[in-house]
Amino acid sequence: MKNKITLLTLIFTLVSFVGFSQKTVNASDIIKDIKAGKDVSINNAIIEGVLDFTYMDEKLEDLPKRKKRWWKGNNGDNKVKNLIETKISFVNCTFKDDVLAYIPDSDDSGYTFVASFEDDAIFKDCVFQRKAMFKYSYFENESSFENADFQDDTTFKYSKFKKTASFKNTNFENGATFKYANFANFISFANSTFKETTTFKYTKFNDGVSFKDVRFEEDLNIKYTEVHGKFDISGMKVAYDIDSKYTKINGKSFSRYLLNRN
């Protein structure tokens, strides 16, 4: 009986330690550090509050009102850009609210706010419980979303990854888009899961890509996608349709590439 009580006490102590070991950090404090030129390195934490890398509220104060431009072909000239110059690293963190590097036409201002990352941008082993928006973001240095769990909407449309990047073992609960994204170096999505329709339409992989053991649980759109270098789709599974019209794998059509593999 004494041994049982001791064991229960030990288990309770361990559970309590784990529960209290994850600290809470306010998103506004993170932004303050970035603005002060400090590198951000946060491990095993809960991030509360919207993490807005665009500084939208601050920038709106200095911007004149303008009409929205609804027609296509405006070349993004309504974008208000912000550059995160410091290193940022989040490991084993949970983001309770939105993580925003892209805010479209906020409050009918007619502007779209975007943020890019000059130094490392690491979001490894992280849970995004709300939106994670990185449309138009440039990742100038190393970036990683390995083992991330995107539980709400996310987009990397038009994003550019200029150095090493990784999306290994990543889970996308909602529809994910990498449309028009550009990867300068080899990129891996190995062992990732896409729960809804996913698009890599017009995406460019300039030094190869791995979709090894990736599960697409609905449709996959890789129309107009270009791949130069290694193209690993071993073990990849797509539940429904693959749209590969005009896709080029080292100059060959997707169907021709599959034919040559056999």
Side-chain angles (χ1 to χ4, degrees):
M1 182 68 178
K2 184 178 180 180
N3 289 338
K4 289 183 178 179
I5 293 174
T6 302
L7 180 59
L8 288 173
T9 302
L10 177 61
I11 292 173
F12 178 78
T13 301
L14 289 172
V15 170
S16 299
F17 175 77
V18 171
F20 287 105
S21 64
Q22 196 167 38
K23 60 187 176 183
T24 299
V25 179
N26 197 305
S28 61
D29 292 332
I30 296 172
I31 295 300
K32 285 180 183 178
D33 284 345
I34 294 173
K35 288 181 178 180
K38 299 178 182 178
D39 290 341
V40 173
S41 181
I42 300 176
N43 298 330
N44 195 32
I46 295 172
I47 313 299
E48 291 191 340
V50 175
L51 187 56
D52 179 11
F53 291 112
T54 74
Y55 303 172
M56 180 198 71
D57 289 338
E58 176 183 309
K59 291 181 179 295
L60 266 176
E61 296 177 0
D62 300 322
L63 293 171
K65 289 289 184 179
R66 60 179 293 170
K67 295 179 180 179
K68 286 188 177 182
R69 302 188 68 173
W70 294 105
W71 60 86
K72 295 182 180 179
N74 63 13
N75 295 317
D77 61 0
N78 69 329
K79 291 198 293 292
V80 179
K81 300 177 182 179
N82 189 43
L83 182 63
I84 304 300
E85 298 179 344
T86 62
K87 291 182 179 181
I88 60 170
S89 175
F90 298 94
V91 178
N92 192 32
C93 291
T94 298
F95 296 93
K96 304 290 288 186
D97 297 285
D98 295 342
V99 177
L100 303 175
Y102 163 73
I103 304 175
D105 292 334
S106 174
D107 298 324
D108 295 322
S109 67
Y111 294 98
T112 293
F113 297 84
V114 299
S116 293
F117 303 87
E118 185 177 57
D119 215 316
D120 296 349
I122 308 300
F123 298 86
K124 191 174 181 180
D125 301 308
C126 289
V127 177
F128 297 85
Q129 293 186 348
R130 299 291 298 275
K131 293 180 180 178
M133 313 302 280
F134 293 92
K135 186 177 179 180
Y136 295 112
S137 292
Y138 283 27
F139 296 86
E140 302 282 351
N141 219 312
E142 180 183 355
S143 58
S144 177
F145 292 86
E146 283 190 22
N147 301 302
D149 184 8
F150 293 97
Q151 298 181 352
D152 203 332
D153 293 339
T154 184
T155 178
F156 290 89
K157 187 177 180 180
Y158 291 105
S159 293
K160 291 188 177 182
F161 298 82
K162 297 189 176 183
K163 293 290 179 66
T164 304
S166 178
F167 283 86
K168 289 181 181 178
N169 305 304
T170 300
N171 179 62
F172 297 87
E173 286 290 330
N174 290 350
T177 179
F178 288 84
K179 188 177 180 180
Y180 290 105
N182 191 304
F183 296 91
N185 294 302
F186 179 81
I187 177 71
S188 178
F189 289 87
N191 299 298
S192 293
T193 300
F194 295 83
K195 296 291 183 67
E196 295 185 0
T197 296
T198 304
T199 180
F200 286 90
K201 188 177 180 180
Y202 292 105
T203 303
K204 289 187 178 181
F205 300 99
N206 295 286
D207 193 31
V209 59
S210 173
F211 289 111
K212 180 179 173 63
D213 295 321
V214 172
R215 290 189 299 127
F216 295 97
E217 297 188 356
E218 291 191 4
D219 297 330
L220 172 61
N221 187 338
I222 55 172
K223 191 175 180 180
Y224 292 102
T225 297
E226 292 183 23
V227 179
H228 302 277
K230 184 178 180 181
F231 185 57
D232 187 355
I233 56 173
S234 58
M236 184 182 87
K237 295 181 179 179
V238 181
Y240 300 118
D241 295 331
I242 300 178
D243 187 348
S244 60
K245 190 176 182 180
Y246 304 119
T247 299
K248 293 294 182 182
I249 313 297
N250 293 312
K252 299 178 180 178
S253 67
F254 183 68
S255 58
R256 180 65 62 88
Y257 170 83
L258 292 177
L259 180 65
N260 291 344
R261 290 177 71 227
N262 297 324

